[in-house]
């Protein structure tokens, strides 16, 4: 499975409106709700799970990357959204740098191995400087998706 399999063009925001982490997480969850990946009635529960994880420690891992993630019994498959901010989002990252790329995902509860594999694959994929450079210069959601689909490092 590639990270491209988790995303569609409609689950990618080429330019996020948010300037700080909580509103960015809400923006991406609302995108998942709009794309029928999360039921509207489950929105607040999913947000609560993401908030609880984020309060433990920021998922801003450095190099302009954040990977907010959680487990929830409100999803029956891994759901994900990607957002990019050319100006950067304050995310309380480990390196204190603004975040430009956010991959948010939610895994069904009790799928611990899937959760770890997905997290590791995303981190490895975005750790590649050339991938980040291409994501930074992509002009559309379609172009961003093709980077996720075509890069062999994007295996989950």
């Amino acid at each position: 499975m590639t990270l491209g399999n988790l995303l569609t063009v409609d689950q990618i925001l080429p330019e996020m409106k948010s300037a700080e982490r909580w509103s960015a997480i809400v923006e991406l969850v609302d995108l998942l709700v709009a794309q029928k990946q999360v039921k509207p009635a489950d929105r607040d529960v999913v947000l609560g799970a993401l908030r609880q994880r984020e309060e433990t420690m920021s998922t801003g891992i450095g190099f302009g990357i954040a990977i907010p993630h959680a487990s929830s019994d409100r999803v029956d498959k891994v759901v994900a959204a990607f957002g990019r901010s050319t100006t950067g989002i304050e995310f309380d990252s480990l390196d204190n740098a603004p975040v430009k790329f956010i991959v948010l995902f939610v895994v069904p509860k009790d799928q611990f191995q899937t959760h770890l594999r997905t997290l590791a694959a995303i981190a490895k994929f975005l750790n590649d400087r050339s991938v980040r450079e291409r994501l930074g210069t992509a002009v559309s959601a379609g172009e961003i998706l093709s980077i996720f689909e075509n890069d062999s490092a994007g295996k989950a």
Side-chain angles (χ1 to χ4, degrees):
M1 167 167 106
T2 66
L3 296 175
N5 294 1
L6 294 176
L7 297 168
T8 66
V9 167
D10 296 328
Q11 288 161 244
I12 295 171
L13 292 176
E15 189 58 52
M16 295 188 70
K17 296 176 180 78
S18 303
E20 61 87 31
R21 84 171 147 161
W22 296 118
S23 60
I25 289 170
V26 169
E27 187 175 353
L28 289 172
V29 169
D30 285 346
L31 178 64
L32 288 173
V33 171
Q35 295 306 313
K36 299 181 177 25
Q37 298 296 308
V38 172
K39 293 181 184 126
D42 295 335
R43 174 188 180 270
D44 291 343
V45 174
V46 169
L47 272 172
L50 288 159
R51 180 178 287 273
Q52 185 177 13
R53 167 61 190 88
E54 203 65 37
E55 285 173 350
T56 305
M57 186 172 135
S58 173
T59 54
I61 61 170
F63 301 105
I65 304 162
I67 312 173
H69 58 280
S71 297
S72 176
D73 58 4
R74 303 301 175 100
V75 297
D76 53 13
K77 63 176 180 152
V78 179
V79 296
F82 175 82
R84 178 180 68 184
S85 171
T86 52
T87 56
I89 296 170
E90 173 47 50
F91 221 87
D92 196 22
S93 295
L94 296 177
D95 62 359
N96 293 316
V99 162
K100 301 212 175 219
F101 309 111
I102 301 175
V103 180
L104 179 145
F105 72 92
V106 183
V107 176
K109 251 225 191 325
D110 302 324
Q111 290 194 15
F112 188 69
Q113 290 300 322
T114 301
H115 195 138
L116 288 181
R117 276 197 307 273
T118 304
L119 181 60
I122 293 167
K124 180 179 179 185
F125 180 74
L126 290 175
N127 196 40
D128 182 331
R129 180 189 305 242
S130 72
V131 167
R132 292 193 310 272
E133 287 170 357
R134 285 183 287 145
L135 287 171
T137 59
V139 294
S140 68
E143 200 175 321
I144 290 170
L145 181 60
S146 72
I147 293 166
F148 279 107
E149 289 175 335
N150 298 323
D151 195 294
S152 61
K155 301 265 189 253

